[in-house]
Each structure stands twice: as structure tokens, then as C-alpha cells.
Amino acid sequence: MPRFGATWTVALLLVAGLGGTFLFCEYLIYFPTIFQCAWPAVSHGRAAGGDDMDGPAGGDRASRAVRAMVLSDTHLLGAVGGHWFDKLRREWQMERAFQTALWLLKPEIVFILGDIFDEGKWSSQKHWEDDVRRFHRMFRHSPDTELVVLVGNHDIGFHYEMDWFKLQRFEKVFNASSTRIVTKKGVNFLLVNSVALHGDGCPICQSVEKELMRLSKDLNCSLQNSQSAGSSGGVGTLTESCEGAQLYPPSAPIMLQHYPLYRVSDASCTGQDAAPAEERHLLFREKYDVLSKEASQRLLQWFRPRLILSGHTHSGCEVLHESRFIEISVPSFSWRNRNNPSFILASVTPQHHALSKCFLPEESTVIGVYCSAGACLLLLLLLHCVCLKGLMQCLSLCLLGKHKSL
């Protein structure tokens, strides 16, 4: 009986150890990691309109800041190049990370900066519908959170691969045009279909550029109307060129897109989520790794954004364009692309914004926990076997001694 009881005790310890390790690595580990993240406080100071942010009105304004969560490049694997276990593993990781972040941080709006799918550029309608179904399951959210999705080159193809069918298929799923302005609490978020900014006169390029020019006019006329109203102390009067313009809150937009604006390389990028040292000096190709110089200059000239958020490179970087326009490259959200995925937390008011970065558990840490737990359980099993073998030898000697005495 003692031997039987010890064996069952060891078996229960092994099952509990395996179950506990799996529960921690696949579910619980996200809570302490994301719990360390917090919404950044909007910097206090003098707002653009002259209001003092340190006073009561400023405190109230800060409390009304939009809480925006920004992530990028989820790359849901498709039916052609995605192994079933790789898909299961990566999608479970992203689902748990996203759902835990929603539960702990409660963002008001979530932006995903393109490359939602890995094979959207060539997937059949059947495979596309399956990918979309899995996306909606992974990134489900409550009605209190708005999810806004941008288009990337893997969703509709690189410039030479995209067509109206793939673009409209993407826009239909996410129920919105890929180039538009989303306004929340007086903050303008400009969404740009950067895949169509090659400037070669293709039909989709012409349509997107025409829409961007219209949005630029609307934003500039909104600012003009606000300035006119402020100087007259009443309702502003628009110039003839602004007739028919749609008015938005008079606030410099935050521009979001998949491709980064033009930069030579990631050589100036630093931080734990920057590209590996051996890759930072690789030159970027225009219209493939980054937008062209011309397209980048046009966007900055048309919109003069106070902040640009982009994806595509799978690594983090902060760039200052023309000594005044800040761009943040958001790393990939998938462990398939990075050992340390992350996302951005942004607190935004019409005049100010503040950013912080939230890192997810490193996959090397998860693997280390599994290996350590496995080694400990294996050691326990070996010790049990050694002790059991010693007990059997002892019993054999005792029985042999009794036999000889008889």
C-alpha cells in the first residue's frame, strides 16, 4: 500500500505541475505583464487656444482624453502558407493578449495598422471568409470599444497586386472606406490607404489621392472657420474655396497608415523593440519598405499631422520628419514576427497627446518556463523511480534473507 500511495502522489504532482505550467504560460502570464501598463497622463501646459491645462478646466479636459490602443501587423496565417499548429499557437497568443488588454485597460478605440491577414493578397473567397471569421473571434470587443482597421499590403496586395475586388472586399468586411477621418471627442484620426500612394496614376491611386485632397481641404477649412469665429466672437465665415466643405473639429490630425513615411533606414532607431543591430543599416526601398519621398512630402504638406503612427516594418522606431513631424513605427503584434510584441497606449485631447508602450510576455520567457517546469517534473519522476527501485531491492534482500534462514 505505501508504494501504491507514493506512486499516485507522484502522478498527481506531475499532472498538477503540467496543468499549472500550461495554465500559467497560456493564460495567466498575460495578466501581470499587461497589468504593469497604464494610460499615460496628458502633459499639462498651455493649450493651443490659450487655456491653462493646470487649472480646473485643464483637469476636466485631461479627464476627457481619448484612450486609444494602437497595434499593427497581426498577420493571421492563411490556408496556403500557414501550418495548423503555427496558426493555433499564434492566434491563441494574440487572442489572449488582446482580450486581457481590453479587460485591464478598457480602451475607447483600438486601431490596427494593417496587414491583418497574411494571405489576403491571394486568398480565395472561401479562405478569405475563414480568415475573417477567425479575426472576429480573436478581436471580439464590447460595444463600448470601437475597433478601426486599416489596410495593409498583405490584405490587398502590394501596389502591383491590388485591384478593386480585393480593396472593396476588405472595406466591406470592416464596413468603412480605407481612407477617411474618424473623430472622437474632438480628436481627428486620419486613416490613410498608404498602399495606394505610388503616384503612378493607377485608378485606385487616383481615387485615394482625390479623397485625401478632399479631406485636406475639409480640415483646413475647419481650422479657418474656427479662427474666423474666434476673431469675430461669433460664427465664422468661410471663403468661397471652402464652400461645400465638411467641417471637423479644428484640431491637427493624428495620421495612421500602414507604410511608414520615407526614411533611409532604421539606423537611428533605438530601444528594445527596434530592429536587430545587423538589420538597422539596411537601406529601405521606396514604395516597398517605405513610402516614396514625393508621397511622404505630399502627406505632410496636405495635413501637417501632429503625430504619425505606422506599421509594416515589424519593429519600433521614432523618427522626426522636417524637424517637426513625429512618426512612431508600431512593432508587430504577433510572436511569429517578434520575440517581444508590443502595442501603443495613447491619451489624446484636441490639443495634446501622450504615448506609452506596453510590452507583451517574451516568447523566450514562456519557453524558459516550460523547459524549467519540464526539467523539474522529470527530476521528480527520476527520483521517484530511483527510490522505488531502492525499495524493491531492499524488499528483495529481506525476502532472500528470510528464505535462507528457513
Side-chain angles (χ1 to χ4, degrees):
M1 287 297 293
R3 184 184 68 186
F4 182 79
T7 301
W8 272 102
T9 300
V10 171
L12 288 174
L13 287 174
L14 289 174
V15 172
L18 289 172
T21 302
F22 182 83
L23 179 64
F24 175 76
C25 290
E26 302 302 329
Y27 189 84
L28 298 178
I29 194 172
Y30 299 99
F31 287 89
T33 307
I34 298 178
F35 185 75
Q36 301 176 50
C37 305
W39 292 103
V42 179
S43 60
H44 288 201
R46 191 163 294 275
D51 295 327
D52 190 353
M53 292 292 290
D54 291 328
D60 182 57
R61 194 177 293 111
S63 68
R64 294 200 305 269
V66 178
R67 297 193 308 274
M69 175 178 165
V70 185
L71 53 109
S72 185
D73 293 85
T74 53
H75 283 275
L76 271 68
L77 295 176
V80 177
H83 187 273
W84 70 268
F85 181 77
D86 199 10
K87 290 166 65 174
L88 178 67
R89 175 84 179 134
R90 305 310 177 188
E91 291 178 11
W92 170 257
Q93 290 171 323
M94 287 190 285
E95 180 178 351
R96 290 317 323 148
F98 184 76
Q99 296 302 324
T100 304
L102 289 189
W103 190 73
L104 291 176
L105 300 171
K106 295 178 172 55
E108 297 172 77
I109 188 167
V110 177
F111 295 99
I112 306 182
L113 305 182
D115 277 3
I116 312 304
F117 309 106
D118 196 58
E119 299 179 2
K121 55 187 178 180
W122 62 51
S123 61
S124 66
Q125 187 62 26
K126 178 179 179 299
H127 293 153
W128 169 262
E129 291 173 357
D130 180 63
D131 293 343
V132 168
R133 176 187 56 78
R134 295 184 351 258
F135 171 83
H136 285 310
R137 184 201 71 232
M138 293 166 55
F139 294 95
R140 61 190 181 275
H141 54 90
S142 69
D144 297 331
T145 300
E146 182 179 359
L147 179 64
V148 179
V149 176
L150 282 74
V151 67
N153 56 288
H154 275 265
D155 300 314
I156 61 173
F158 285 92
H159 174 261
Y160 61 88
E161 298 173 303
M162 70 176 180
D163 55 40
W164 283 111
F165 171 76
K166 285 182 279 192
L167 177 60
Q168 291 172 353
R169 180 173 69 173
F170 183 91
E171 293 180 340
K172 181 180 179 181
V173 164
F174 298 106
N175 197 31
S177 168
S178 58
T179 300
R180 67 189 191 279
I181 290 176
V182 174
T183 301
K184 204 167 188 69
K185 293 183 177 180
V187 178
N188 297 316
F189 296 96
L190 171 67
L191 314 183
V192 177
N193 179 354
S194 55
V195 185
L197 292 182
H198 275 49
D200 60 355
C202 75
I204 296 179
C205 299
Q206 289 181 328
S207 173
V208 168
E209 289 181 8
K210 181 179 179 181
E211 182 65 15
L212 287 172
M213 292 176 66
R214 184 187 70 79
L215 293 175
S216 173
K217 173 186 173 182
D218 291 346
L219 288 173
N220 290 328
C221 289
S222 300
L223 182 60
Q224 179 192 117
N225 178 68
S226 174
Q227 292 172 342
S228 174
S231 61
S232 64
V235 178
T237 56
L238 295 175
T239 62
E240 184 177 344
S241 61
C242 287
E243 290 183 3
Q246 179 179 346
L247 297 183
Y248 292 94
S251 172
I254 292 179
M255 190 164 73
L256 303 103
Q257 58 191 41
H258 181 65
Y259 279 114
L261 297 181
Y262 175 80
R263 61 177 183 260
V264 175
S265 68
D266 272 352
S268 62
C269 304
T270 58
Q272 65 185 99
D273 60 352
E278 64 273 12
E279 298 179 9
R280 293 182 196 176
H281 294 276
L282 298 178
L283 299 182
F284 283 146
R285 292 164 290 180
E286 291 186 62
K287 304 180 181 181
Y288 189 87
D289 299 308
V290 294
L291 288 179
S292 67
K293 290 181 182 179
E294 293 75 14
S296 301
Q297 290 170 353
R298 284 201 304 271
L299 287 174
L300 294 177
Q301 179 182 359
W302 286 346
F303 297 102
R304 300 190 175 278
R306 52 170 157 156
L307 175 68
I308 305 111
L309 295 169
S310 59
H312 188 60
T313 65
H314 297 176
S315 299
C317 190
E318 181 174 336
V319 183
L320 187 63
H321 298 280
E322 300 181 5
S323 301
R324 59 175 297 189
F325 301 109
I326 299 174
E327 178 181 10
I328 305 292
S329 289
V330 182
S332 174
F333 193 67
S334 173
W335 279 262
R336 194 169 188 265
N337 298 323
R338 299 194 58 82
N339 179 48
N340 59 340
S342 62
F343 56 88
I344 297 289
L345 295 176
S347 299
V348 191
T349 67
Q351 292 81 23
H352 302 280
H353 66 266
L355 307 178
S356 66
K357 191 163 290 185
C358 184
F359 284 90
L360 302 181
E362 295 186 358
E363 187 162 45
S364 57
T365 301
V366 175
I367 294 173
V369 172
Y370 271 124
C371 291
S372 300
C376 291
L377 294 175
L378 182 60
L379 180 60
L380 175 63
L381 183 60
L382 290 175
L383 287 174
H384 173 67
C385 292
V386 169
C387 293
L388 184 60
K389 184 178 179 181
L391 178 62
M392 294 296 292
Q393 289 177 344
C394 182
L395 289 173
S396 298
L397 290 173
C398 290
L399 291 174
L400 183 61
K402 289 181 179 180
H403 178 72
K404 287 182 177 180
S405 63
L406 291 175

